[in-house]
Amino acid sequence: MFCFQCEQTAGCTACTGAAGVCGKTADVARLQDDLTGTLVALARAESDGRGDTESDGLMLEGMFACVSNVSFDPKAIAALERRVRAKAISLGEFSSYDMRLLWDAQEDIRSLKSLLLFGMRGVAAYAYHAQALGKSDPVVAAFLYEGMRAVGSDLDMDELLPLVLKCGEVNLAAMAALEEANVSAYGKPEPATVELKVEAGPFIVVTGHDLHDLKQLLEQTEGRGVNVYTHGEMLPANAYPELRKYPHLKGNYGTAWHNQRKEFKDLPAPILWTTNCLLKPDESYADRVFATGPVSFPGAHVVEAGEDGAKDFSALIDKALELGGWDTDRTFAGINGGTSVTTGFGYDTVMSVAPAVIDAVKSGDIKRFILLAGCDGMRKERSYYTDFAKLAPSDSVILTLACGKYRFNDLDLGSIDGIPRLLDVGQCNDAYGAIKIALALADAFGCGVNDLPLSMVLSWYEQKAVCILLTLLHLGIRGIYLGPTLPAFVSPGVLQVLVDNYGIRPISTPEADLAQIMG
Ligand code: SF4
């Protein structure tokens, strides 16, 4: 096998051999390559640059199924490849792409095509969630065909670089569509303090990103005596009025995805996986795993959508009733010992206090905003982000999003002039909200984003982080700190382009980076 798409890739180089660090087998890796090659064929078959609804859906599903920690199931991937193949064949001549040509290509070409392909996988994940709520942007679908044709073509660096940046531009549209879909379905997020406590009695833990799945589960558990808790990237669900109105959405259990084995081992409850961030379960809880959407591993209880998109969670609810939960209430703590966290500081909330924020900057009470955001992961060097948050001076405000925040979101960082020093904007896709906040602040101060007292310190793990990084580059944002390691698929030549044009730099130590940022 050959896979180097995520941050935990073996030796910071590539996963080869029988299985990847994530547990993905060589069999699954090969089938994902076959699926990707067949998606190139589908893009070629849609040569007018615009597919039909079925092709669009297959493209999103196929790309999403190849994101890290989504599917470990060879049967599910093979079945999806057959569906894509059948569609491509129905459109005319079938011409699939052999992914070994990409992995064996000259290193800068391989690097740029990988940036494009992995970025598109992230874009597809966001578009998939928006589509579940009936929102799509034709620009996104058209680009996925264009980008996949480019992956399968003989292009040089000058032709590939603009496409990589265009991927970032298109991702902005995908995230905008998802935000619009979420807000119209669930209302504008509002600040919420979320307890890390589980009440006695039956319950279900929901992880992943798909709010539509959570909403359907909340409806179906109403009056059943089963409480629901968020986990990982589902935490910001507690901020949406149309989700928090359900009294049995009780709060959040656990932390980020890589702690699943520890957190789920003795849980007297089933867990629903709605999207990526599935850590291959061990035997202690494999029979309590329910998977839906593109998520899958062999033996999982799979909840399929019906013709109308509705999902029947009755088997999951029955499992929760059977397991019964704990006899007494239990209080848990984040990794720093805090027993509650906050969320819901999206664009509208932050903008509602914009005059106070501007005054605080002008008076010098707030010296700097720091976007400390991105994915969490296993690497011990990620303690950098906890230390950074603890060391950030009291005149700085930290904006965060995605699951990397579990490294520090249970810390009490206090407030400045009534403005909390830690503002959780939401899930990774809510990077769109953070970008809007930055643009609005730049507008208020009459300067460009790069001239704001704002620094970005990002942590990456998988392909959604790749497309968000490309969006920031598309917007011309310079001086991003990236960690905990640089992507293995960025060649020295491509890294030099990113350093020269965007000033990207690897994180060093919290002390040194903070000194540079605050100075
Ligand atoms: Fe390795 Fe990451 Fe690929 Fe898994 S997703 S095989 S850990 S590079």
Side-chain angles (χ1 to χ4, degrees), residues 457-470:
V457 182
L458 307 183
S459 55
W460 85 283
Y461 170 74
E462 39 84 337
Q463 299 75 53
K464 293 198 255 181
V466 174
C467 66
I468 291 171
L469 180 64
L470 296 180

Side-chain angles (χ1 to χ4, degrees), residues 258-270:
H258 60 98
N259 293 318
Q260 286 173 13
R261 290 197 187 116
K262 188 174 64 182
E263 292 172 354
F264 295 161
K265 188 172 183 294
D266 299 315
L267 206 65

Side-chain angles (χ1 to χ4, degrees), residues 282-506:
D282 65 29
E283 285 182 3
S284 66
Y285 65 94
D287 69 329
R288 287 184 273 120
V289 171
F290 287 71
T292 192
V295 191
S296 193
F297 80 93
H301 304 280
V302 175
V303 182
E304 303 273 10
E307 289 283 305
D308 56 356
K311 294 180 180 177
D312 177 359
F313 290 113
S314 47
L316 170 66
I317 296 166
D318 289 346
K319 189 75 173 174
L321 291 166
E322 177 198 322
L323 291 167
W326 281 297
D327 294 337
T328 55
D329 295 356
R330 295 199 178 196
T331 297
F332 295 90
I335 68 168
N336 302 289
T339 54
S340 68
V341 296
T342 56
T343 188
F345 292 92
Y347 170 78
D348 289 291
T349 300
V350 174
M351 283 304 105
S352 71
V353 294
V357 170
I358 291 163
D359 284 350
V361 173
K362 286 188 173 158
S363 69
D365 290 351
I366 294 178
K367 198 167 168 200
R368 198 138 198 103
F369 295 93
I370 302 168
L371 181 66
L372 189 65
C375 320
D376 206 355
M378 297 189 190
R379 208 177 285 278
K380 67 177 183 347
E381 289 84 350
R382 286 180 183 267
S383 60
Y384 167 97
Y385 296 93
T386 310
D387 297 341
F388 189 104
K390 286 180 178 171
L391 289 169
S394 57
D395 53 6
S396 64
V397 169
I398 294 176
L399 290 158
T400 192
L401 52 89
C403 67
K405 63 176 163 258
Y406 282 104
R407 294 271 167 180
F408 49 81
N409 68 345
D410 63 327
L411 292 171
D412 181 1
L413 297 185
S415 59
I416 302 173
D417 302 346
I419 301 157
R421 283 194 57 233
L422 180 61
L423 302 169
D424 176 17
V425 183
Q427 295 182 334
C428 54
N429 46 289
D430 294 310
Y432 182 69
I435 288 167
K436 282 204 300 180
I437 290 169
L439 293 174
L441 285 176
D443 200 36
F445 285 105
C447 64
V449 173
N450 286 321
D451 303 315
L452 281 173
L454 168 70
S455 299
M456 299 194 183
V457 182
L458 307 183
S459 55
W460 85 283
Y461 170 74
E462 39 84 337
Q463 299 75 53
K464 293 198 255 181
V466 174
C467 66
I468 291 171
L469 180 64
L470 296 180
T471 297
L472 296 175
L473 300 185
H474 152 72
L475 292 169
I477 292 173
R478 294 183 53 84
I480 294 169
Y481 291 77
L482 186 62
T485 57
L486 294 178
F489 51 85
V490 173
S491 67
V494 171
L495 181 62
Q496 199 56 52
V497 172
L498 298 180
V499 170
D500 290 348
N501 293 330
Y502 302 100
I504 278 193
R505 61 193 94 183

Side-chain angles (χ1 to χ4, degrees), residues 1-10 13-16 19-25 29 32 66-70 72 118 121 460-463 488-489:
M1 69 179 285
F2 180 86
C3 184
F4 65 167
Q5 68 171 350
C6 84
E7 181 272 333
Q8 67 177 8
T9 195
T13 309
C15 291
T16 56
V21 175
C22 62
K24 181 164 86 177
T25 59
Q32 286 179 333
C66 295
V67 168
S68 298
N69 290 356
V70 171
F72 296 90
F118 302 156
R121 285 177 177 168
W460 85 283
Y461 170 74
E462 39 84 337
Q463 299 75 53
F489 51 85

